[in-house]
Amino acid sequence: MSKSTSKASDAKVVSTEPLMIKDARWTRLILTTYKDPLGKQRTWEHAERTTRPKDSQVDGVGIVAILQKRSGPELLLQKQFRPPVDKAVIEIPAGLVDPGESAAESAVRELREETGYHGVVSEVSPIMFNDPGFCNTNLNMVHVNVDMSLPENQNLKPELEENEFIEVFSLPLKDLYAECKKLEDEGYAIDARVGTLAEGIELARRWKL
């Protein structure tokens, strides 16, 4: 099977085992001691990323890339196998910030590398924490508009790394909530950022915001 014909759902976990601290490249476990609002001393076990550039406030970016189509706006999505959950996951494009790079610059670069699309940044969110009860990982959500009429967005040429297997597709924004349910029924895991976007759109629809 070639990389061009492989699917995210073809991957599978073979084994798991404890990871020694000295062998960890991306994360480390931390025991933090703190005082609660009443002054009582407590401890908290959590994880910490080790890859955040010294000149950056964030680890990475999540990219809300909107494809401007005649039929209506569509959200660019990816299918990517994630070993921690042993499933192919429905995600938005995302990646880590490089040293000396802004969130906006990182988003444009990651979008081009992972999907081949060229876009223009329209908005950068406040800093968001992915799972603050477990780790310090954070990101900016970056909104990117993709003009589908541009020549560079016709013949896509992603620049994937050797260990990246990403399937790119898009869904109409208006159908995102329902499509997430269908994809879950098909066995995919839904990334929280995709699910949150879908929930927001559904809430706006229900409450006529």
Side-chain angles (χ1 to χ4, degrees):
M1 182 181 295
S2 68
K3 189 166 185 176
S4 61
T5 59
S6 62
K7 295 182 179 180
S9 56
D10 293 331
K12 63 180 180 179
V13 169
V14 176
S15 66
T16 61
E17 60 186 81
L19 177 66
M20 300 298 291
I21 294 175
K22 65 180 179 64
D23 297 324
R25 295 178 54 198
W26 306 98
T27 59
R28 60 182 176 181
L29 288 178
I30 303 290
L31 183 66
T32 293
T33 301
Y34 71 102
K35 289 184 177 180
D36 70 15
L38 299 178
K40 183 175 180 178
Q41 190 164 294
R42 301 179 184 274
T43 59
W44 196 284
E45 180 182 308
H46 57 99
E48 184 175 86
R49 267 198 178 275
T50 60
T51 55
R52 185 183 301 171
K54 293 181 178 179
D55 59 353
S56 177
Q57 291 185 298
V58 295
D59 295 299
V61 293
I63 306 163
V64 184
I66 304 300
L67 307 185
Q68 301 170 8
K69 295 189 174 183
R70 291 182 179 179
S71 56
E74 296 192 6
L75 178 66
L76 188 63
L77 295 169
Q78 299 179 164
K79 296 176 182 177
Q80 188 168 191
F81 180 75
R82 294 299 189 181
V85 296
D86 195 15
K87 283 187 176 185
V89 182
I90 305 301
E91 306 174 341
I92 56 174
L96 298 178
V97 173
D98 285 344
E101 191 176 51
S102 70
E105 291 168 338
S106 177
V108 171
R109 174 183 57 78
E110 286 286 354
L111 181 68
R112 184 185 68 253
E113 291 177 354
E114 291 192 354
T115 73
Y117 282 108
H118 294 251
V120 177
V121 173
S122 62
E123 182 75 25
V124 177
S125 78
I127 295 175
M128 299 180 180
F129 290 84
N130 301 13
D131 190 351
F134 172 68
C135 64
N136 71 334
T137 303
N138 64 6
L139 80 165
N140 290 116
M141 295 288 279
V142 182
H143 299 200
V144 179
N145 292 325
V146 178
D147 186 345
M148 297 298 288
S149 68
L150 296 178
E152 55 264 39
N153 289 326
Q154 304 301 315
N155 184 23
L156 304 178
K157 297 179 180 180
E159 303 166 20
L160 297 177
E161 296 180 16
E162 182 272 335
N163 64 342
E164 288 184 311
F165 297 84
I166 297 174
E167 297 174 53
V168 178
F169 69 109
S170 64
L171 290 173
L173 278 174
K174 62 182 178 63
D175 300 331
L176 186 59
Y177 187 77
E179 290 296 328
C180 280
K181 288 188 173 184
K182 290 180 183 178
L183 287 163
E184 185 180 44
D185 288 342
E186 293 172 10
Y188 293 97
I190 308 299
D191 182 272
R193 285 160 287 193
V194 175
T196 300
L197 286 169
E199 287 281 351
I201 294 170
E202 185 66 12
L203 282 170
R205 176 185 292 120
R206 290 185 182 182
W207 293 97
K208 299 180 174 57
L209 299 180

